[in-house]
Amino acid sequence: MGGAEGEDEGLLIEPPRCYLMHFFDDDIFGVAGSSVVSLARFLDPCRVVALGVDEEAARCNSLEELASLFRQRVLSDVHENPCASLPGAEDFFARGGGEADAPAYVERVVLIGYGFGAVVAHQVAVQLRAEGPSLEVALVLLDSEVSWPPSYAIDRMGGYQWLGGKLEAALLMCRALGHMDFAREAVREVLASRDDGDCDEEDLLMRAFWTLAPGGMTHKYYNSCISYLELALDVVHDMIAASQATSEVFAGDALLILSTSREFRVAQGVNAKYCIDLEVAHCRGTHYSMVQDEHINSVIKPLSDFLLTRGYLGPVAQKSAQARGLMTKAPPIGGLDVVNEGDHVDAPTVYIVHEVKPYITQAWKDRVSELLAPCRVIAVEFDSRAALCETPEDLVVEYEYRILGDVRRRAGRPAAGGNVGAETDAGVSEAGGDV
């Protein structure tokens, strides 16, 4: 999104409005929402609004109450700032138009949730779907589940017994800066010491600081982050504790973008239960760094494709993209059996060339995937086309054609003699090597 002027005129005509629901995972080191600002810069020309834990939201007593508040804020923003590029928008809302006299245009709303924000965004999306045909609602989840707490996992907050806002804040900072081992051992230490009644929280907080200090963090800045995060985390934890409702099913368009953090991969299975039409994409970076500048392009690419193909950039943009071939995906390459799509967007692809033996069972595929994780694994088949090769050299050429075609297809470039797919930006097309 946000291409050069004159290059994507269709994309500038009917942009959706995006609401970013951020709490702590995406803005650990500042109250100003630095990560949200980073993401918003790449969502041009969309209208972007951030919804976080301000004073009014902090007074909510439950998740249901918070979702209702955010729903009302979204609707107020839609009514007070109608899409000016669409004829009749201001007049329709001025006269209090409802479902019965819905206009020809449709307001397109995209809710983006990150961390606990994904839980709230999902609840808001379900509520907004009931507003009628004048609103189209899409849900984008950044490496997060729509239900809380997550299943047991010692490497992420919520996956074990709550330690309190202050300790959780310190451990969250350690995880975000790559000190997973320290955070893991600290959780085990606190849980064990609390059972014994001998937990020195202040000592652990100081050790967390000294773990972070070599990276340039000052004690003053560390304490300011702890103070901010402690309040936000405790507020959210209290809301969850008071919540009674289970996650409802969202029937609209949904996208889940997974990071390289394996402890958050459970989000795919969980969200599939609560989002009927869930699309899954992968990006670079960990759960905590995926929307930072060095990885943001690998998030924006699948997000842009999702909004375009699902029609949230409007019919004019969609027709423009179709006319230019941007929505035509290259067909899969024949003679390649995808054993595993891989766990890491930067991991290489392993192509296995095998003899004609019946050992390619599902058990074999599962074992190979486990041994070669996080790589993408492809079995090059000796099929009827390969059997027509008269010499080993001919077979090499055939296999090379398949492998290079797969490489080009993943990069969004046309395979030799194949159809033209969508070109990707340089930052994404280089993701992952191949073996």
Side-chain angles (χ1 to χ4, degrees):
M1 303 175 75
E5 185 175 354
E7 179 182 342
D8 290 307
E9 293 89 348
L11 301 184
L12 302 176
I13 296 176
E14 303 161 297
R17 51 184 80 234
C18 299
Y19 298 90
L20 309 179
M21 301 192 184
H22 63 107
F23 289 83
F24 37 80
D25 293 62
D26 56 340
D27 191 25
I28 295 172
F29 299 109
V31 184
S34 57
S35 297
V36 171
V37 171
S38 177
L39 180 60
R41 286 190 291 111
F42 290 87
L43 290 174
D44 177 67
C46 301
R47 174 178 172 78
V48 182
V49 178
L51 298 172
V53 183
D54 56 16
E55 291 185 5
E56 184 181 17
R59 290 195 294 269
C60 292
N61 295 316
S62 67
L63 169 60
E64 296 84 2
E65 189 175 336
L66 180 64
S68 179
L69 172 65
F70 281 4
R71 166 188 165 276
Q72 187 55 50
R73 289 185 181 182
V74 170
L75 290 176
S76 296
D77 182 66
V78 170
H79 285 222
E80 293 170 9
N81 301 283
C83 187
S85 65
L86 300 176
E90 294 185 7
D91 177 64
F92 168 73
F93 286 116
R95 68 176 189 270
E99 181 176 337
D101 58 342
Y105 72 89
V106 175
E107 285 283 1
R108 298 172 181 87
V109 170
V110 181
L111 306 178
I112 304 176
Y114 190 6
F116 182 70
V119 182
V120 182
H122 176 262
Q123 293 287 332
V124 177
V126 171
Q127 294 182 21
L128 288 177
R129 283 272 297 178
E131 291 297 320
S134 62
L135 277 182
E136 284 188 358
V137 183
L139 178 63
V140 177
L141 307 165
L142 301 182
D143 205 39
S144 307
E145 299 99 324
V146 300
S147 64
W148 196 275
S151 56
Y152 177 79
I154 200 168
D155 284 331
R156 57 176 294 191
M157 183 172 59
Y160 50 83
Q161 182 182 347
W162 180 250
L163 305 183
K166 183 173 288 187
L167 285 182
E168 293 287 6
L171 297 180
L172 193 58
M173 292 169 66
C174 289
R175 295 188 189 103
L177 293 179
H179 301 286
M180 296 292 294
D181 291 340
F182 174 86
R184 185 182 306 114
E185 293 306 314
V187 171
R188 290 175 176 149
E189 176 185 329
V190 173
L191 293 178
S193 61
R194 283 185 173 178
D195 291 339
D196 299 335
D198 184 26
C199 179
D200 191 343
E201 294 188 0
E202 292 303 320
D203 176 69
L204 179 56
L205 289 170
M206 281 305 302
R207 282 189 283 134
F209 166 69
W210 287 116
T211 298
L212 298 170
M217 183 172 294
T218 66
H219 195 244
K220 180 179 180 180
Y221 183 61
Y222 173 76
N223 284 334
S224 67
C225 290
I226 292 291
S227 297
Y228 158 65
L229 284 171
E230 177 186 7
L231 174 62
L233 295 177
D234 279 334
V235 166
V236 170
H237 180 261
D238 291 343
M239 287 183 190
I240 295 170
S243 180
Q244 300 297 325
T246 57
S247 294
E248 298 180 66
V249 174
F250 174 64
D253 298 307
L255 170 67
L256 169 65
I257 302 179
L258 292 172
S259 75
T260 61
S261 297
R262 296 181 66 86
E263 64 271 24
F264 288 89
R265 286 302 168 90
V266 67
Q268 182 171 350
V270 172
N271 291 344
K273 299 177 182 178
Y274 301 110
C275 300
I276 292 178
D277 189 6
L278 181 67
E279 183 177 326
V280 181
H282 295 77
C283 71
R284 293 193 180 106
T286 68
H287 176 80
Y288 308 99
S289 67
M290 60 188 290
V291 294
Q292 299 300 329
D293 284 348
E294 62 267 31
H295 303 303
I296 190 65
N297 279 335
S298 66
V299 173
I300 291 298
K301 180 60 172 63
L303 174 55
S304 300
D305 289 346
F306 171 78
L307 296 181
L308 181 61
T309 58
R310 299 299 182 103
Y312 284 87
L313 290 176
V316 174
Q318 200 168 29
K319 290 178 181 178
S320 173
Q322 289 172 336
R324 294 166 54 197
L326 294 180
M327 294 173 64
T328 303
K329 294 186 177 181
I333 306 299
L336 298 180
D337 181 11
V338 180
V339 177
N340 183 13
E341 281 291 357
D343 295 328
H344 196 307
V345 72
D346 288 327
T349 297
V350 178
Y351 295 91
I352 300 178
V353 180
H354 55 88
E355 300 177 55
V356 187
K357 292 182 179 179
Y359 61 76
I360 308 299
T361 63
Q362 188 58 49
W364 180 88
K365 291 180 179 181
D366 293 341
R367 181 58 176 160
V368 168
S369 298
E370 179 182 352
L371 292 174
L372 294 179
C375 297
R376 179 172 178 258
V377 182
I378 303 291
V380 183
E381 299 175 326
F382 188 85
D383 54 10
S384 58
R385 194 170 68 184
L388 294 176
C389 295
E390 296 181 353
T391 66
E393 290 76 15
D394 291 341
L395 187 60
V396 168
V397 172
E398 172 64 27
Y399 284 176
E400 181 182 38
Y401 173 85
R402 298 180 189 184
I403 292 172
L404 291 179
D406 182 61
V407 171
R408 294 179 66 82
R409 180 176 179 273
R410 291 188 72 212
R413 298 192 295 271
N419 295 335
V420 176
E423 291 284 346
T424 61
D425 60 78
V428 178
S429 64
E430 296 172 359
D434 299 286
V435 177

